[in-house]
Amino acid sequence: MKTERPFKIGLALGSGSARGWAHLGVIQAIEESGIPIACVVGSSIGALAGAIYASGNHHRLFEFASDIDWRSLASFFDPVFPRSGLVDGKKVAAFVRSHVHQANIEDLPIPFCAVATDLSTGEEVHLREGDVIEAVRASISLPGIFTPVRVGDRFLLDGGMSNPVPVSVARAMGADYVIAVDINHDIVGKKRHTQSARRERRTERRRKRLTKIFGEESRVVEAFNARWEREENRFWSRFRAKREERGVPNIFDVLTTSINILESRITSTRLQSDPADLLIQPELGHIRFLEFSSAQEGIEAGYEAAKAALKSLSSPSLG
């Protein structure tokens, strides 16, 4: 008598640089929902988050995210003399190694695949075996920022250049139902409207922390916030004035905005041809490309979007 194979749910984590913190929030919501994930596929920052999740050590990332600031972020960048990229990526690889103790992809508790792009042909490359760190390092190799990674006789770049939300890869790995996380959907054209909204969120989080210390009605909380907001407003006024004086975007603005536009367009096209069964799209347009210090905002946005989307996920819908 033929035995039916188990119904498999795959998770496809998309590219998006600093907005990738949202993947942690999505993973948290999935775990709370008790949904069993049979395979994980990641592109770019989604590969980094996916590898750590597949290893079973992602809980440690929440601790790291709560403490990250620009100083700790700067320690991950190891500049090289400009050749094919500005950053070598060895420190990022060491960070991943500290969270993923399995040396090879095939040893991970959950089947995993990292998506990269062949520099010579533009071909989509699926890394499903071999050194897990090498695979992640290849998948996150943003052109112009990280140096490409040589795997065999090929040089590999960021997976977001070919398949930013790798739904098709999850299906190729045997997933019957794919939950995909798109963190690029609202990034183009939303760069300037969010400074005030971001400050409001920071103020509210600061208020909550201080309230825990001083109590609900403490004048200290209100006085501290009022002074902080005055100083913050002065800073941003000077910052905007300087930007207006310069008049033109700097090289990183040009590079990161171009990547944003490219990945947003590719994401839209790929999701039309390879639609997910459940698509989670956190609101992340306010987080800049390299703003990794916005970890808490990203995690919260991912968690909220996933909780809302997962309400529609029930046994009947999984058929």
Side-chain angles (χ1 to χ4, degrees):
M1 182 176 178
K2 187 177 179 180
T3 304
E4 289 188 7
R5 70 175 179 84
F7 188 88
K8 294 183 178 180
I9 301 175
L11 179 62
L13 301 177
S15 63
S17 196
R19 294 179 293 274
W21 286 117
H23 292 317
L24 283 185
V26 171
I27 288 168
Q28 181 182 357
I30 287 174
E31 289 196 327
E32 288 178 4
S33 300
I35 297 168
I37 298 299
C39 63
V40 183
V41 186
S43 190
S44 193
I45 195 68
L48 192 154
I52 296 175
Y53 173 52
S55 75
N57 293 317
H58 58 283
H59 297 288
R60 293 175 55 198
L61 264 183
F62 285 95
E63 298 171 17
F64 174 78
S66 65
D67 296 327
I68 193 170
D69 55 21
W70 279 108
R71 182 176 296 179
S72 58
L73 175 62
S75 69
F76 285 93
F77 288 85
D78 41 359
V80 293
F81 184 79
R83 297 182 308 233
S84 51
L86 299 175
V87 179
D88 189 56
K90 290 180 181 177
K91 292 183 179 180
V92 175
F95 168 75
V96 179
R97 180 75 72 193
S98 70
H99 287 77
V100 180
H101 303 307
Q102 297 84 357
N104 293 317
I105 293 174
E106 51 268 38
D107 297 328
L108 294 171
I110 300 175
F112 169 72
C113 177
V115 177
T117 305
D118 189 307
L119 177 60
S120 297
T121 66
E123 237 177 6
E124 182 181 331
V125 180
H126 303 162
L127 302 169
R128 295 185 59 179
E129 58 184 25
D131 190 328
V132 65
I133 305 306
E134 185 179 71
V136 170
R137 173 67 182 82
S139 188
I140 66 170
S141 294
L142 286 163
I145 297 177
F146 284 99
T147 55
V149 173
R150 185 167 191 164
V151 177
D153 59 351
R154 297 193 285 192
F155 284 98
L156 301 183
L157 285 176
D158 191 279
M161 299 296 101
S162 55
N163 196 350
V165 186
V167 175
S168 58
V169 186
R171 296 203 192 281
M173 292 178 72
D176 302 292
Y177 189 99
V178 179
I179 300 172
V181 187
D182 169 21
I183 54 178
N184 291 324
H185 78 105
D186 68 337
I187 58 175
V188 177
K190 292 202 174 182
K191 191 174 182 179
R192 303 200 181 275
H193 82 287
T194 55
Q195 285 293 353
S196 60
R198 190 182 301 137
R199 286 200 297 274
E200 287 174 10
R201 284 190 291 272
R202 282 200 297 262
T203 298
E204 184 57 31
R205 285 199 301 274
R206 190 166 58 241
R207 188 190 306 277
K208 287 179 181 177
R209 287 196 298 268
L210 291 170
T211 297
K212 286 182 180 178
I213 299 171
F214 296 105
E216 288 289 340
E217 303 299 328
S218 174
R219 292 181 181 179
V220 175
V221 176
E222 299 304 324
F224 184 91
N225 268 315
R227 181 167 182 176
W228 187 286
E229 286 170 21
R230 284 197 301 273
E231 294 301 321
E232 198 171 37
N233 285 335
R234 285 197 194 104
F235 169 79
W236 284 113
S237 294
R238 290 195 295 268
F239 180 77
R240 282 192 296 270
K242 288 292 182 185
R243 284 184 66 93
E244 287 169 7
E245 283 176 19
R246 290 197 299 267
V248 295
N250 62 45
I251 187 170
F252 276 103
D253 284 337
V254 173
L255 181 59
T256 57
T257 301
S258 299
I259 293 172
N260 275 343
I261 294 169
L262 175 65
E263 292 200 356
S264 178
R265 298 293 182 261
I266 297 173
T267 299
S268 177
T269 301
R270 290 301 300 255
L271 286 176
Q272 286 179 25
S273 60
D274 301 312
D277 297 290
L278 183 69
L279 182 61
I280 299 171
Q281 294 180 306
E283 298 295 324
L284 300 165
H286 60 284
I287 296 180
R288 293 173 186 268
F289 195 79
L290 296 176
E291 196 176 2
F292 284 94
S293 57
S294 295
Q296 291 303 318
E297 289 183 50
I299 292 171
E300 289 170 14
Y303 180 79
E304 290 169 7
K307 290 295 280 188
L310 291 171
K311 286 180 181 177
S312 65
L313 193 62
S314 60
S315 296
S317 68
L318 293 179

